[in-house]
């Protein structure tokens, strides 16, 4: 994560790094437009500068859990986050 992801997704993994320059709100937990299937496809195929994430790095079950969590947003922890 530190080598490949943090520069865009930020220290907490939610998109407060370089991603914040392109997408508002950048905080992934605060988004209300991330369907689970979009998250899965973006992660598996890569999107923009983000490389694809293989099943060896994140299993299908783990990715589904992440996608479902993000699709259910915005989350209370993110609602008061500075953007």
């Amino acid at each position: 994560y530190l080598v490949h992801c943090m520069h865009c997704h930020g220290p907490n993994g939610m998109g407060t790094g370089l991603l914040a320059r392109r997408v508002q709100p950048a905080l992934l937990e605060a988004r209300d437009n991330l369907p689970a299937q979009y998250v899965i496809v973006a992660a598996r195929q890569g999107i923009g500068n983000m490389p694809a994430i293989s099943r060896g790095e994140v299993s299908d079950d783990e990715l589904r859990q992440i996608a479902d969590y993000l699709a259910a947003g915005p989350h209370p922890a993110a609602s008061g986050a500075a953007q």
Side-chain angles (χ1 to χ4, degrees), residues 40-64:
I40 291 169
V41 170
R44 287 292 184 231
Q45 294 182 0
I47 187 169
N49 291 330
M50 187 180 102
I53 299 171
S54 72
R55 285 178 176 83
E57 294 175 281
V58 176
S59 72
D60 286 341
D61 184 55
E62 290 168 330
L63 183 54
R64 170 56 63 187

Side-chain angles (χ1 to χ4, degrees), residues 10-80:
N12 67 354
M14 289 295 124
T16 56
L18 294 176
L19 185 62
R21 296 181 188 172
R22 297 184 53 201
V23 180
Q24 293 298 323
L27 191 65
L28 295 179
E29 288 181 317
R31 302 276 301 271
D32 63 0
N33 62 344
L34 289 172
Q37 191 58 38
Y38 173 82
V39 174
I40 291 169
V41 170
R44 287 292 184 231
Q45 294 182 0
I47 187 169
N49 291 330
M50 187 180 102
I53 299 171
S54 72
R55 285 178 176 83
E57 294 175 281
V58 176
S59 72
D60 286 341
D61 184 55
E62 290 168 330
L63 183 54
R64 170 56 63 187
Q65 290 177 46
I66 293 166
D68 288 346
Y69 174 81
L70 292 174
H75 296 282
S79 62

